[in-house]
Amino acid sequence: MTTGAWDDSRLSGTSGGRGARAAGWNVRNLWALEDNARVVAWVATRIGRTALVALFALVLVAANRGYRAEPEWPVFLVACAAACAYAPRYRPVTIFVATMAALLKQVWFPHAGLIEIIRQEGVEFLSPTGFVHGALAAFFVASWAVLGYARRNKASFVARRPVLALLAAEALLCGLALVPYVHGVARVTVWAFLTVFSAYIWFLAYALVDQRSKDPAPRLFQLGIFHPFWGSSSTPLGKGAAFLRRVQSKTPEELSVTQIKALKLLIWSLVLTALSRALAWLVEGRLQVPRLDSVQAAFFRGEPYPIALGWASLITATALGTLWLAVWGHQIVAVARLSGFRLPRNTWRPLESRTLADLWNRYYYYYKELLVEFFFVPTFLRTLKKHPRLRTFFATFMAAGVGNAVFHFVRDIDVVATRGLWGALESYTSYVFYCVMLATGIGISQLRTNAGRQAPASPLGKLRAFLCVWSFVVCLHVFANETRDYSLVQRLSFMANLFGVY
Amino acid sequence: MNSTRKDELRGFMTELLRKVGDHVPPSDSDSLFVSGRLDSLAMMTLVVHLENAFGIDFADGGFEMDLLDTLDDIETLIDEKLSA
């Protein structure tokens, strides 16, 4: 591999191997607009900026058609991104205001649990939205105070072990919400705060980690990137302030290159959307392959579909899920890039993965990064130093297994409200099984890589590696489905049926 | 700045890159991890190397992955840890 590995990396940069691309004149070279000095210079002009931003807005409107009812939403995003990019001096304020505006327009996290608690407590006259907004205000004020405390007291527990401290606070809040002595408005209030805290816990974790650095970002910026206006899930896409400051464009040339890459990524997301729709139309429409939830429901009714149809449905669900994740991530990263942040892609050529560990790196980058930073690294640095192989495996298990399970349990804290603590834990066994299998698979894959096992280079070897990796992923998809509808035993029996043994 | 140490580090990182099929030697300011050229497992390989070669114990204090992104960053971190 030559400089191509760098050119095609997740990151948009300014020095992406122009020499390598200079040779030859093909479509790929034509598409590499960010390597064309004249184009880059033109995009930095006033007319160029206007044209690029307008084109980006048009593509984003097209990309959102059919998904969002409000056509003004993409325009709002682009306006915020442009303000952020072209007025870097006011970037922290711009991001904070844009993020708060986006939050007021639409609360991004689910709060069905809070609504259920309001019903359980018989206080339906209370507005869940009002409680969420109140809890949000309290959370942001508390975060401001905690960040200040951690900055001043770098030796404190919350500054040294932020994830442990936050998970302890989560457990405490959950316990408080469940004790039988708390009722009525008090219980609703605790649940509202727990809901907000669970949604933002990893954003706060990144911000707390940043407080240890010599020159932490201003708190306004830290809070502004708590689920920033460009989007995220419970996983911060763009990580924390330290990372964002590192990847923000520092020169007009860097900004132009980053924004050109933003536009290209957005266009690519449109292509993937079209591909996704074509696949759904072909498989589900023309070939009449039922959806996975229908196949599972039929199996549990005792009227299973033929095995081949079951596999076709499972493979299609995995493919569509992967495409959806890529499109979603690309659109968010594209808006962040338009804002001037050279963010790596969230999903990057997952079909080229030759090992499971490689796929883990390519499939959902920012989630993997979160688990690595908050679970893998602390475990790796502190345990089993005299046993290198076990050290890597155990740290991987703590990230892809334990961290993965903890993350999703916290994210879905609503389930505790609707099913109770025991019900939530019981319905979680299938996902825990998924985490254990995934962590074991990745751990073994990493040990093999560490032992010097080379990724296959021949076409046949690549095909075999592709089939191995994706067969594993397809099989795990049965358990990765995050709905709590079926138990582990039911899913195992469904899996056995697909292999014709049940 | 210790040029021998830098060269040794460059050799180590070049070897890590070579293992993933990237044969371009890194410059002092090239992003190695944020760019996606190397993954977190390679980062931990680097950590083990720094532990063994320089006796650095990362468990002692905070560890930020972003602070090991370039050869210059690694050099700075070693200096800081050794002088602490």
Side-chain angles (χ1 to χ4, degrees), chain A residues 363-495:
Chain A
Y363 186 76
Y364 192 163
Y365 175 72
Y366 292 101
Y367 181 54
K368 188 261 332 184
E369 283 290 292
L370 185 153
L371 295 180
V372 165
E373 289 197 28
F374 296 142
F375 293 92
F376 181 93
V377 170
T379 310
F380 189 89
L381 295 180
R382 292 188 175 94
T383 58
L384 299 165
K385 288 190 178 180
K386 292 189 174 135
H387 308 276
R389 285 163 69 88
L390 195 58
R391 186 184 187 187
T392 302
F393 186 85
F394 183 62
T396 304
F397 195 87
M398 286 302 290
V402 176
N404 196 355
V406 167
F407 176 93
H408 283 88
F409 192 82
V410 170
R411 188 198 66 177
D412 299 339
I413 202 73
D414 270 8
V415 181
V416 177
T418 52
R419 295 182 185 232
L421 185 59
W422 177 246
L425 289 170
E426 196 179 25
S427 64
Y428 204 52
T429 49
S430 171
Y431 198 79
V432 169
F433 176 79
Y434 161 78
C435 292
V436 170
M437 297 304 290
L438 180 71
T440 308
I442 294 171
I444 292 171
S445 172
Q446 285 196 324
L447 287 180
R448 284 155 61 111
T449 308
N450 243 5
R453 195 183 172 97
Q454 295 282 327
S458 68
L460 200 64
K462 285 180 182 175
L463 179 64
R464 199 176 56 196
F466 168 83
L467 290 174
C468 283
V469 168
W470 282 93
S471 300
F472 186 78
V473 173
V474 166
C475 290
L476 269 192
H477 192 77
V478 171
F479 307 96
N481 186 319
E482 292 159 20
T483 61
R484 308 288 180 102
D485 298 338
Y486 304 114
S487 68
L488 173 60
V489 173
Q490 284 179 309
R491 288 177 202 248
L492 282 170
S493 63
F494 176 72
M495 192 79 244

Side-chain angles (χ1 to χ4, degrees), chain A residues 36-320:
Chain A
N36 186 322
R38 288 171 67 185
V39 174
V40 171
W42 182 74
V43 168
T45 64
R46 190 165 293 181
I47 296 174
R49 286 176 174 183
T50 311
L52 184 129
V53 168
L55 192 55
F56 191 98
L58 280 176
V59 179
L60 192 61
V61 168
N64 275 269
R65 217 173 54 166
Y67 291 111
R68 277 188 174 275
E70 324 90 1
E72 71 275 13
W73 182 260
V75 177
F76 165 78
L77 287 182
V78 173
C80 294
C84 190
Y86 301 130
R89 203 173 147 196
Y90 303 105
R91 195 171 278 163
V93 179
T94 309
I95 292 179
F96 182 80
V97 171
T99 297
M100 290 302 125
L103 186 57
L104 282 175
K105 181 153 179 58
Q106 188 175 34
V107 173
W108 62 271
F109 48 88
H111 47 282
L114 180 64
I115 296 168
E116 171 62 19
I117 294 296
I118 288 176
R119 191 194 63 74
Q120 285 175 14
E121 296 298 315
V123 286
E124 282 93 342
F125 56 89
L126 295 175
S127 154
T129 311
F131 265 86
V132 167
H133 283 157
L136 276 167
F139 174 78
F140 274 87
V141 170
S143 296
W144 178 278
V146 169
L147 292 178
Y149 174 79
R151 188 172 299 195
R152 289 189 303 275
N153 303 282
K154 288 189 167 60
S156 62
F157 183 69
V158 73
R160 283 186 298 111
R161 308 297 294 271
V163 174
L164 270 182
L166 291 175
L167 288 177
E170 172 83 21
L172 203 67
L173 277 171
C174 198
L176 193 61
L178 290 171
V179 290
Y181 312 110
V182 180
H183 281 298
V185 176
R187 187 160 179 239
V188 173
T189 305
V190 173
W191 263 105
F193 196 78
L194 176 64
T195 304
V196 171
F197 189 80
S198 304
Y200 283 97
I201 186 169
W202 306 109
F203 295 93
L204 184 54
Y206 272 118
L208 282 168
V209 167
D210 193 36
Q211 303 312 306
R212 290 197 302 242
S213 62
K214 281 182 196 152
D215 180 27
R219 273 184 282 180
L220 193 69
F221 183 60
Q222 304 270 8
L223 297 184
I225 56 167
F226 279 19
H227 200 275
F229 72 88
W230 54 75
S232 266
S233 58
S234 299
T235 305
L237 264 68
K239 301 167 73 174
F243 185 80
L244 284 173
R245 290 209 300 180
R246 192 172 191 94
V247 297
Q248 70 185 1
S249 304
K250 293 176 181 68
T251 64
E253 191 208 6
E254 271 189 11
L255 179 61
S256 296
V257 170
T258 304
Q259 291 185 321
I260 291 169
K261 289 212 166 194
L263 181 59
K264 285 171 62 177
L265 190 60
L266 189 62
I267 292 170
W268 179 235
S269 83
L270 264 188
V271 173
L272 291 181
T273 303
L275 188 65
S276 174
R277 286 180 180 166
L279 182 66
W281 171 81
L282 178 69
V283 179
E284 293 170 357
R286 302 293 293 182
L287 299 176
Q288 296 287 301
V289 173
R291 291 191 174 191
L292 185 59
D293 49 359
S294 304
V295 173
Q296 286 180 322
F299 173 75
F300 295 121
R301 277 200 314 270
E303 303 160 358
Y305 281 98
I307 288 175
L309 216 51
W311 278 112
S313 176
L314 182 58
I315 292 167
T316 307
T318 310
L320 288 175

Side-chain angles (χ1 to χ4, degrees), chain B residues 34-49:
Chain B
V34 173
S35 64
R37 287 178 82 179
L38 290 169
D39 66 6
S40 48
L41 187 63
M43 164 86 63
M44 290 305 113
T45 309
L46 170 64
V47 164
V48 172
H49 176 70

Side-chain angles (χ1 to χ4, degrees), chain B residues 18-36:
Chain B
R18 194 191 59 76
K19 280 185 183 172
V20 294
D22 185 336
H23 297 285
V24 184
S27 73
D28 289 356
S29 58
D30 274 354
S31 169
L32 296 166
F33 296 98
V34 173
S35 64

